[in-house]
Amino acid sequence: DLLYEDQDSMYFIHVKNGFDGKLRDLSNQIVLSSTRFSNDKNSGTYEFLDGIINSYNSQSINTGNLIVRNNFIHSIQNKEIFFVMAFKSTLSVATDIRNNISILRSNIAKYAVIQCVRDMNTNMYPLKIFDIASIV
């Protein structure tokens, strides 16, 4: 959904609204995306990334905010890569989800988060998880 880049890292951010069954979709999206990204990076062909860059650039041609392929490839080869699971829970108060997981009701969502963490830790890139409910 989003890409954020700083001097040392790149963050591939995937977002869903709600802490419910949609988290299963979000989890799958992250695992598939990171797998395709990893395959591209390891093979050096960048076919998947070329498709994303071309699609983005064709939609952004009038804004002048184009991705320069060589710069992007250089960044992914030289920066630390993170995938981010961001969701907007239905909590009415700002809370740290790690300490208050029992407040959230969806067992499907909880399982999806656990499975995604396992898959990402085992196979690919570090995963960061954020509840963006308290962001105004």
Side-chain angles (χ1 to χ4, degrees):
D1 297 319
L2 302 168
L3 171 66
Y4 176 78
E5 182 176 4
D6 62 23
Q7 189 169 345
D8 301 316
S9 306
M10 294 182 80
Y11 300 86
F12 293 89
I13 305 166
H14 300 271
V15 184
K16 289 282 186 251
N17 187 30
F19 192 87
D20 52 24
K22 294 176 194 172
L23 262 286
R24 182 175 26 205
D25 295 336
L26 181 61
S27 174
N28 289 336
Q29 181 183 8
I30 290 168
V31 171
L32 290 173
S33 175
S34 63
T35 299
R36 294 194 69 186
F37 176 80
S38 179
N39 290 343
D40 257 19
K41 189 174 178 184
N42 292 336
S43 72
T45 61
Y46 301 108
E47 291 175 24
F48 175 64
L49 289 175
D50 283 340
I52 292 170
I53 291 168
N54 292 338
S55 176
Y56 175 84
N57 284 348
S58 69
Q59 295 175 16
S60 302
I61 196 92
N62 295 329
T63 67
N65 295 324
L66 302 177
I67 297 173
V68 178
R69 183 190 187 275
N70 290 342
N71 294 349
F72 189 75
I73 299 300
H74 182 266
S75 288
I76 64 170
Q77 290 173 337
N78 294 293
K79 293 186 178 190
E80 191 168 8
I81 305 296
F82 294 95
F83 279 77
V84 179
M85 175 185 280
F87 60 90
K88 184 177 186 254
S89 72
T90 56
L91 298 177
S92 58
V93 294
T95 184
D96 185 341
I97 194 113
R98 294 170 294 183
N99 299 326
N100 295 294
I101 195 75
S102 62
I103 295 172
L104 300 168
R105 300 282 180 227
S106 175
N107 288 330
I108 292 171
K110 290 176 188 177
Y111 179 77
V113 170
I114 291 167
Q115 189 62 44
C116 188
V117 168
R118 285 182 185 156
D119 290 345
M120 294 298 288
N121 284 341
T122 302
N123 300 323
M124 292 160 247
Y125 299 97
L127 177 67
K128 295 185 176 288
I129 303 170
F130 292 99
D131 181 357
I132 57 175
S134 61
I135 297 174
V136 179

